[in-house]
Amino acid sequence: MTLNKICDVIKGASRVAILPHIQVDGDCIGSSFALALALNAAGKKARVILEEQIPTSYAFLGEEYQFYDTLEDADNFDTVICLDSGDEQRINKRMSLLASCKNTINIDHHITNTKFAKYNYIDEKCAATGEIIYRLITLLEIEITKEMATCLYVAIATDTGGFRYTNTTANTHMIASELLKTGIDIGDINRKIFETMSMQKLKLLMEAGRTIELFADGKVALVCITRAFIEKVSATDQDVEGLSSLPRQIKGAEVGILLTEKEDEKVKVSLRSNQYVDVSKIAMFFDGGGHQRASGCTLFMSIDTAKQKVIEKVLEQLI
Ligand code: 5GP
Ligand code: MN
């Protein structure tokens, strides 16, 4: 499927639902808001449908544009566009919208994407879905405003870790350069998304440091965040976001694992690697997905059992 074909389908649409994945991150929320702004500018009725609160670090995007609705508000769309979502589970309850829609589109950059829509455009060479949305808006010949550029910059900056990860390409910088030309305030944006944390998150970070365990001569580093931990420092699930990059920063570590106890018998696993381990294979084994250097999955078992199972699989991949 070419992006031109996706463009043609979108041109024929009038009421469009845009669906970011659950456990929203900067890429899916930035890409969704940018596309909604662009399609509304082109005279369509586009809404972003969420089933959860936007994490506080990205709330400034939603506060400004107010383009989001909950599933309860969703009605009669002719086109649904899923963004940054590797599989149907990532769309969760909102999959019902796909069943009732004529045209369903899936735009993503995850190598593990299951192509669950009628029209699928997957480009795993893109560092962020935001890069694809930039190209799509350009192809649709819609002028990229400062507001759209702010959203796209958030999308691309977050998925590249501030243009530091190896997924960053010359094209990523070229797009960022075009976004900067619209006059966006990157100092302010970067401070909001990278340099601001709640007091609870800082406390969580300090506690997390105490739980670090090393395996395989320090090549694997693991952090466990239990419910008790989260409650002790009155942190929210959102405060846990971002801690996933902590374990792999320990010198000598190749794989970093963050286990977060979401509920009893429900553990979110975030996997990160530095240079050679393909963590998407590990996540896929547990019905999750992602990229070579950043992946995730959810295990329905106790945090201790999840830890054993994940460590076992990671050690297998190290060989
Ligand atoms: P994180 O660890 O930050 O939640 O996710 C890292 C990467 O893996 C992101 O690109 C995210 O979209 C993907 N990912 C995380 N959890 C899941 C999951 O349960 N299923 C799939 N398919 N991808 C996931
Ligand atoms: Mn992404």
Side-chain angles (χ1 to χ4, degrees):
M1 177 75 43
T2 64
L3 202 54
N4 275 315
K5 174 68 192 164
I6 301 284
C7 227
D8 288 343
V9 177
I10 292 176
K11 277 180 187 160
S14 55
R15 282 190 53 82
V16 184
I18 299 171
L19 313 185
H21 58 72
I22 51 167
Q23 293 161 352
V24 286
D25 62 16
D27 186 22
C28 77
I29 205 71
S31 296
S32 296
F33 282 151
L35 186 58
L37 285 163
L39 296 186
N40 282 305
K44 302 187 188 298
K45 293 230 178 318
R47 312 290 301 180
V48 178
I49 313 286
L50 293 155
E51 51 189 273
E52 63 199 331
Q53 282 286 311
I54 298 177
T56 40
S57 44
Y58 309 123
F60 72 102
L61 299 176
E63 269 162 23
E64 259 170 67
Y65 312 128
Q66 293 291 325
F67 268 141
Y68 56 91
D69 292 320
T70 58
L71 189 54
E72 291 79 53
D73 306 322
D75 59 351
N76 296 330
F77 294 102
D78 54 69
T79 305
V80 171
I81 308 177
C82 302
L83 294 184
D84 200 40
S85 307
D87 56 41
E88 298 181 20
Q89 286 79 42
R90 306 286 280 160
I91 301 296
N92 206 34
K93 294 180 208 151
R94 294 160 300 159
M95 274 311 287
S96 60
L97 287 172
L98 271 77
S100 63
C101 243
K102 184 164 59 116
N103 289 323
T104 62
I105 301 174
N106 165 17
I107 299 174
D108 187 25
H109 68 132
H110 290 98
I111 196 165
T112 57
N113 193 287
T114 57
K115 303 189 176 157
F116 53 87
K118 184 171 173 190
Y119 303 102
N120 300 282
Y121 183 80
I122 320 300
D123 188 349
E124 68 276 356
K125 290 184 295 303
C126 286
T129 297
E131 286 189 16
I132 309 175
I133 300 304
Y134 170 83
R135 273 169 47 213
L136 181 64
I137 297 174
T138 310
L139 271 178
L140 285 164
E141 295 177 339
I142 300 166
E143 191 195 339
I144 297 196
T145 61
K146 189 175 165 185
E147 289 72 27
M148 292 174 211
T150 299
C151 296
L152 290 175
Y153 185 88
V154 168
I156 296 169
T158 50
D159 259 23
T160 56
F163 304 91
R164 289 174 304 161
Y165 300 156
T166 48
N167 57 357
T168 310
T169 63
N171 196 45
T172 314
H173 281 289
M174 197 277 296
I175 294 171
S177 157
E178 292 302 316
L179 298 177
L180 258 66
K181 286 179 194 165
T182 66
I184 57 172
D185 186 344
I186 59 161
D188 185 54
I189 299 170
N190 282 310
R191 187 177 48 75
K192 281 177 174 144
I193 60 177
F194 294 124
E195 308 281 342
T196 310
M197 70 168 103
S198 64
M199 200 56 204
Q200 287 85 347
K201 182 163 177 176
L202 183 63
K203 285 183 183 165
L204 201 64
L205 197 64
M206 286 154 67
E207 287 284 342
R210 279 192 250 274
T211 77
I212 288 181
E213 286 178 75
L214 299 178
F215 301 85
D217 293 329
K219 288 198 192 72
V220 179
L222 177 134
V223 166
C224 271
I225 309 276
T226 61
R227 280 318 308 164
F229 243 49
I230 295 171
E231 278 156 26
K232 185 177 162 194
V233 298
S234 309
T236 62
D237 284 354
Q238 291 167 19
D239 293 319
V240 184
E241 251 215 33
L243 295 190
S244 44
S245 57
L246 179 75
R248 78 158 167 203
Q249 288 177 34
I250 299 163
K251 196 167 181 189
E254 166 59 17
V255 179
I257 309 163
L258 172 72
L259 297 184
T260 312
E261 189 177 30
K262 289 283 195 188
E263 315 163 2
D264 233 16
E265 311 270 309
K266 185 176 175 187
V267 181
K268 168 85 178 71
V269 182
S270 284
L271 297 155
R272 300 287 186 272
S273 63
N274 278 324
Q275 283 175 301
Y276 56 90
V277 172
D278 181 352
V279 288
S280 72
K281 287 189 184 152
I282 303 164
M284 272 189 10
F285 176 80
F286 294 112
D287 288 330
H291 312 282
Q292 289 186 352
R293 301 281 167 264
S295 286
C297 53
T298 300
L299 300 190
F300 297 89
M301 55 187 74
S302 74
I303 193 157
D304 287 337
T305 314
K307 182 164 127 184
Q308 277 171 21
K309 287 198 183 294
V310 172
I311 285 291
E312 196 180 309
K313 204 70 204 162
V314 169
L315 294 181
E316 242 176 73
Q317 288 293 318
L318 262 187
I319 301 160

